[in-house]
Amino acid sequence: MGATISPEAEAEGEEGEIAAFEVDGGVVLAEPNGFAATLDEVIARLSKDTVAATVFFNVNLDQQFVYAEGGVVVTAFEPDQPDSRAGSDPDRLLPRMRELGMETESDLVKAAELAQIVTGLELPDDDADPTLIGIMPDY
């Protein structure tokens, strides 16, 4: 993502901080006050030779779900408007979305469930300590 490892950071949600959690089969990143993983160039790097999913929201109720494979955004949508999808194959996740009951209406919890399904990774517990903490450059 372009982050710099910062041993002194404490993952308290300061602007630009990103925490990496090692989980079975991969890594889950948490970026409490940022949106880097929604950017095409960042999600392309994260998904190179693998898959990546992003669930983003902010205090302004902006929301974004992005799923990428091999450096290409496959499906992207706003979780509160899942019927308006974009990407190289916008309907690829539609069967999974239907299973979760999110084809025409959704929420962030279902978006997080979808991210877990399509990546095969489970989100860490709320009290989990990050493996690494980094600082993102300005973007």
Side-chain angles (χ1 to χ4, degrees), residues 53-116:
T54 295
V55 180
F56 164 81
F57 65 96
N58 67 16
V59 297
N60 298 323
L61 302 179
D62 295 325
Q63 303 177 6
Q64 189 70 27
F65 176 94
V66 181
Y67 172 72
E69 289 181 359
V72 175
V73 173
V74 175
T75 304
F77 60 90
E78 295 178 25
D80 59 347
Q81 298 177 5
D83 54 336
S84 180
R85 294 176 297 281
S88 66
D89 189 357
D91 294 333
R92 167 98 54 96
L93 304 183
L94 196 52
R96 296 292 193 168
M97 293 171 70
R98 286 182 176 139
E99 289 172 14
L100 293 169
M102 63 185 295
E103 182 179 0
T104 58
E105 62 180 67
S106 186
D107 60 38
L108 290 167
V109 172
K110 288 181 181 178
E113 288 178 39
L114 181 61
Q116 290 182 104

Side-chain angles (χ1 to χ4, degrees), residues 40-54:
D40 288 345
E41 65 272 16
V42 175
I43 196 77
R45 280 184 275 161
L46 289 174
S47 67
K48 186 177 187 269
D49 300 323
T50 190
V51 300
T54 295

